Amino acid sequence: EPDVTIVSGLKDMVVFEGDDVTFRCQVSHENARDVEWKLQDVALQNNEMNEISVEKGKIHTLTLRKVTEQDIGTIAFRVGPYTSTA
């Protein structure tokens, strides 16, 4: 199985409290497994506050809904041994 790498990494974002923010990370192959999103080293799950999806098979997205001051910090996307942070 080919090694899945990060083609286009996360970008730093500045948003206002109460707004939504979306992070995108493009990987080299579709159907990547072993993918993880984290905020401040806490793994994120798909729920009403965090929307995790994949567009066009290779673009992994994380949308944080109605961010608060507690959401300030480092977002990390990991696929296998590769990580991108913002």
Side-chain angles (χ1 to χ4, degrees):
E1 188 169 296
D3 208 14
V4 177
T5 61
I6 295 173
V7 175
S8 176
L10 299 177
K11 308 268 189 290
D12 290 342
M13 305 291 272
V14 176
V15 292
F16 292 101
E17 194 166 20
D19 286 353
D20 295 351
V21 61
T22 300
F23 295 91
R24 286 181 177 80
C25 201
Q26 183 176 345
V27 298
S28 59
H29 296 80
E30 293 185 8
N31 305 319
R33 292 193 297 269
D34 193 22
V35 170
E36 183 177 46
W37 286 97
K38 286 185 174 184
L39 171 60
Q40 297 290 59
D41 287 331
V42 176
L44 299 175
Q45 304 299 321
N46 199 19
N47 58 36
E48 67 278 352
M49 296 307 291
N50 313 315
E51 183 184 328
I52 297 170
S53 62
V54 180
E55 300 171 3
K56 300 177 187 160
K58 296 182 183 180
I59 301 169
H60 293 256
T61 64
L62 166 67
T63 300
L64 302 179
R65 304 255 181 241
K66 297 181 176 64
V67 295
T68 66
E69 211 172 285
Q70 287 75 38
D71 295 319
I72 292 173
T74 302
I75 292 284
F77 172 83
R78 181 187 60 76
V79 57
Y82 305 101
T83 302
S84 178
T85 58

